[in-house]
Amino acid sequence: MPTPPDMSMDMTTVGDTGLLDALQHEVAVFARRAEQTRLGGVGQVRNSMDRAAYLLLNRLDKEGPMGVKALAASMGIDSSTVTRQVAPLVDTGLVKRTSHPEDGRAVVLQLSPRGLARLDEVRSSRRQLMAELTQDWEPEERETFCALLTRFNGALSARMTVPGASSADSEPAS
């Protein structure tokens, strides 16, 4: 039975180097285009929410209220980063800070009604952008692309847990 390649192995020796070169190039182009547009959506909502804010609000919506440490752990980033990124969301009323019900000294972060409305607006705009970008794709192609991108993001996230891999090498998929 074949064994998975050793993570320290030069991956360009596995498979077709031309294909791997093309893949790394397309990922780099995608990263640049995604940052340029922030994949923000269409209309007035376009580019109106940065990636960090979107990911934090999305996580709070999907997982519910939680403390800074739990939020940081679920996103694969450190607590100081979450604290810094959530501050403007609290200032603008998108996130509420409340006392932990069992430990009044601890802070719980919660998506506010305004935050949920804003997140829904941004999601709708981004959904419309995805529909426009893939309008000539078959439904199965969209599903395949989503599945492969999810798998790719998972591999990037898992790479961060590999001993010797720097957290600066990749960004968590959240």
Side-chain angles (χ1 to χ4, degrees), residues 42-48 118 125:
V42 295
Q44 292 182 348
V45 180
R46 182 185 169 103
N47 294 330
S48 62
R118 184 75 180 102
S125 176

Side-chain angles (χ1 to χ4, degrees), residues 39-77:
L39 291 180
V42 295
Q44 292 182 348
V45 180
R46 182 185 169 103
N47 294 330
S48 62
M49 183 178 288
D50 70 29
R51 176 181 40 89
Y54 177 78
L55 293 173
L56 283 166
L57 294 177
N58 196 56
R59 185 64 54 128
L60 287 171
D61 182 44
K62 292 195 181 306
E63 296 184 19
M66 65 180 78
V68 170
K69 286 182 181 180
L71 183 56
S74 75
M75 296 184 70
I77 56 180

Side-chain angles (χ1 to χ4, degrees), residues 75-95:
M75 296 184 70
I77 56 180
D78 62 68
S79 296
S80 64
T81 301
V82 167
T83 300
R84 187 178 65 253
Q85 291 176 348
V86 84
L89 300 175
V90 170
D91 292 344
T92 57
L94 300 178
V95 171

Side-chain angles (χ1 to χ4, degrees), residues 114-163:
R114 181 175 179 212
L116 180 57
R118 184 75 180 102
L119 181 59
D120 286 344
E121 180 182 38
V122 171
R123 281 179 178 156
S124 177
S125 176
R126 289 180 177 196
R127 191 178 309 112
Q128 185 179 346
L129 176 63
M130 293 300 109
E132 287 178 16
L133 293 175
T134 62
Q135 68 184 346
D136 60 341
W137 295 20
E138 296 296 325
E140 298 80 20
E141 291 174 311
R142 286 180 177 173
E143 289 173 16
T144 299
F145 182 71
C146 186
L148 291 173
L149 190 55
T150 300
R151 183 175 172 190
F152 186 80
N153 282 332
L156 281 175
S157 183
R159 176 146 182 352
M160 290 180 55
T161 63
V162 174

